[in-house]
Amino acid sequence: MNEQLLTFDKIWKNHKEHLFNFIKTKIEDQYVADDILQEVGIKLYGSLIKNVKTKDYRAWLFQVTRNTIADYYRGRKVNTPFNANAVVTNDNSGTCICDLLSFVIKKYLPQEYGEPLYLSDIEQVPQQEIARTLNLSLSATKSRIQRGRKKLKELVSTCVDVSYNNKGQISDFQLKKGCELPKELIAEMDRINLFL
């Protein structure tokens, strides 16, 4: 076996299950979910063949997965219910709202709450694994995730009116009148083609 194939097998074995669980939260059709996982694997292998240097394969794989899911919805031009990890589609773009939430969590929340929240709600890592990764007890991990969610909600609600459907999912969001978003947040929204 060549070096790239050995590297691929090691990386893929470590992340495949988490990626597939993440995909299944966005895609109901089992066959489509399998196809998307396979496409992500092909992109990883292609990146390794080209010797593209990546510091954090987990983060890279989740970003590629979100982009692949967005491409799938964009190709089908299907609107999906809006939630924290939803792929938002419209005539101009297919983007994952989780990309914006990732940015907000990393930029505006204290790291002690932002890191476990990011791992739990964006990357869909089980809480026990987060506790091991961050060297915390399970109860401390759960507490930080809950506090992170509360802080994120407070942060978002200062400038954004959020509407919910009867299932408790976010159905719409609008910028409050007179509220100005920080320039770096506007730049990130432009980057991912998301508009309020």
Side-chain angles (χ1 to χ4, degrees), residues 56-70:
D56 183 351
Y57 279 105
R58 180 184 187 89
W60 184 88
L61 283 165
F62 272 93
Q63 186 61 49
V64 168
T65 302
R66 285 191 290 269
N67 292 343
T68 305
I69 292 168

Side-chain angles (χ1 to χ4, degrees), residues 12 16 40 46-47 52 78 80 86 106 112 126 148 162 170 180:
W12 197 239
K16 178 181 178 180
V40 172
S47 174
V52 176
V78 170
T80 58
K106 289 176 180 177
E112 69 177 306
V162 180
I170 297 172
E180 285 194 33

Side-chain angles (χ1 to χ4, degrees), residues 63 66-67 70-71 74 82 84 86-90 92-104 173 184-196:
Q63 186 61 49
R66 285 191 290 269
N67 292 343
D71 290 344
R74 186 173 33 238
F82 176 82
V87 176
V88 177
T89 60
N90 58 36
N92 300 322
S93 71
T95 190
C96 184
I97 192 66
C98 52
D99 291 337
L100 183 61
L101 286 178
S102 298
F103 178 83
V104 171
F173 56 99
E184 65 271 9
L185 184 58
I186 293 170
E188 179 66 9
M189 290 171 68
D190 286 344
R191 186 187 74 77
I192 65 171
N193 284 329
L194 184 66
F195 305 100
L196 287 175

